Amino acid sequence: GAVVSQHPSWVICKSGTSVKIECRSLDFQATTMFWYRQFPKQSLMLMATSNEGSKATYEQGVEKDKFLINHASLTLSTLTVTSAHPEDSSFYICSAQQGAGNTIYFGEGSWLTVV
Amino acid sequence: AQSVTQLDSQVPVFEEAPVELRCNYSSSVSVYLFWYVQYPNQGLQLLLKYLSGSTLVESINGFEAEFNKSQTSFHLRKPSVHISDTAEYFCAVSDQKGNQGGKLIFGQGTELSVKP
């Protein structure tokens, strides 16, 4: 089946630094990618929707200047957490869709720990 | 707007016993319904989905879910669980006006723990 890969799987960064997480669709072109955040023992919360070649649409309450999303190609979207703080520590997971009406595939997720 | 409530955060069960994971939703519009499974340290995998047609949908590994519009529920069931079914299960909805399953609203998750 279709595969969506995230990198890195685990990352530890110092408070105040920025960290980038990549989401790649390995065998299909993802016109739309979604970024979710999951706190321990909680559900996934949609952060933003990203369409290739256009600006991401952020959910209410998500700081777009802090969580920079780029979807420059049909196989790659990146999430950059800028000036990270310990409260940004979370599990970030992306999903990708090859056009409207098609199945959504999720990545393996990326654990971010800010110390 | 939609919301999803999974009534049980943890469900412990013995191997080969039946299990039901409950999911209720609220929405002012028609929805699509999904169950996802998340194994430890892995991403989400689609287990089954209801889009239209028969209200009973099945997965390849023995799970089934029934859409009940009057009760706004989409409970997940399996008649006999295996140790390998141990995982976190998420119920999700999306409205039918948007892309199919594109923007998902998730429940809080239910941790299924199957014991020998």
Side-chain angles (χ1 to χ4, degrees):
Chain A
V3 177
V4 175
S5 178
Q6 281 184 241
H7 178 80
S9 300
W10 303 80
V11 58
I12 300 174
C13 70
K14 291 185 177 180
S15 185
T17 63
S18 296
V19 61
K20 179 184 289 186
I21 300 170
E22 294 185 346
C23 177
R24 293 181 184 273
S25 56
L26 299 184
D27 54 1
F28 68 99
Q29 293 185 323
T31 52
T32 305
M33 286 185 170
F34 304 86
W35 286 95
Y36 293 84
R37 182 175 182 178
Q38 183 182 25
F39 291 103
K41 300 298 183 183
Q42 295 187 31
S43 188
L44 286 79
M45 300 299 293
L46 180 66
M47 299 175 66
T49 302
S50 169
N51 290 297
E52 186 266 338
S54 61
K55 290 184 179 180
T57 302
Y58 289 81
E59 294 300 301
Q60 191 173 10
V62 178
E63 299 177 60
K64 59 183 179 182
D65 294 331
K66 181 171 183 62
F67 299 99
L68 302 178
I69 293 172
N70 182 279
H71 192 169
S73 79
L74 285 171
T75 59
L76 174 65
S77 176
T78 59
L79 167 67
T80 301
V81 182
T82 62
S83 186
H85 291 286
E87 56 265 31
D88 298 325
S89 299
S90 187
F91 186 59
Y92 293 88
I93 191 165
C94 73
S95 66
Q97 184 181 35
Q98 186 182 15
N102 289 309
T103 300
I104 303 292
Y105 296 96
F106 281 83
E108 315 96 320
S110 299
W111 285 102
L112 169 64
T113 301
V114 184
V115 297
Chain B
Q2 294 88 40
S3 68
V4 179
T5 301
Q6 290 182 244
L7 298 167
D8 306 296
S9 59
Q10 294 181 320
V11 174
V13 64
F14 287 107
E15 191 174 20
E16 297 184 3
V19 70
E20 178 181 78
L21 307 183
R22 296 179 293 171
C23 173
N24 287 89
Y25 70 93
S26 67
S27 177
S28 58
V29 299
S30 297
V31 295
Y32 298 128
L33 295 153
F34 307 82
W35 275 100
Y36 284 86
V37 58
Q38 185 178 30
Y39 297 103
N41 300 317
Q42 295 187 29
L44 271 71
Q45 300 174 33
L46 180 64
L47 190 60
L48 46 76
K49 60 186 176 184
Y50 169 79
L51 303 179
S52 64
S54 173
T55 56
L56 184 65
V57 290
E58 299 176 349
S59 71
I60 59 174
N61 57 353
F63 282 95
E64 64 178 30
E66 185 163 20
F67 169 52
N68 187 319
K69 189 174 182 179
S70 62
Q71 296 186 8
T72 61
S73 67
F74 192 54
H75 301 331
L76 181 70
R77 303 184 183 94
K78 188 169 184 178
S80 176
V81 294
H82 300 289
I83 297 287
S84 59
D85 293 325
T86 295
E88 189 88 17
Y89 291 80
F90 291 95
C91 181
V93 303
S94 71
D95 71 72
Q96 292 188 7
K97 289 185 178 180
N99 297 335
Q100 175 188 312
K103 185 173 176 177
L104 294 166
I105 306 299
F106 285 88
Q108 304 91 325
T110 297
E111 184 180 345
L112 176 63
S113 177
V114 182
K115 304 181 185 304

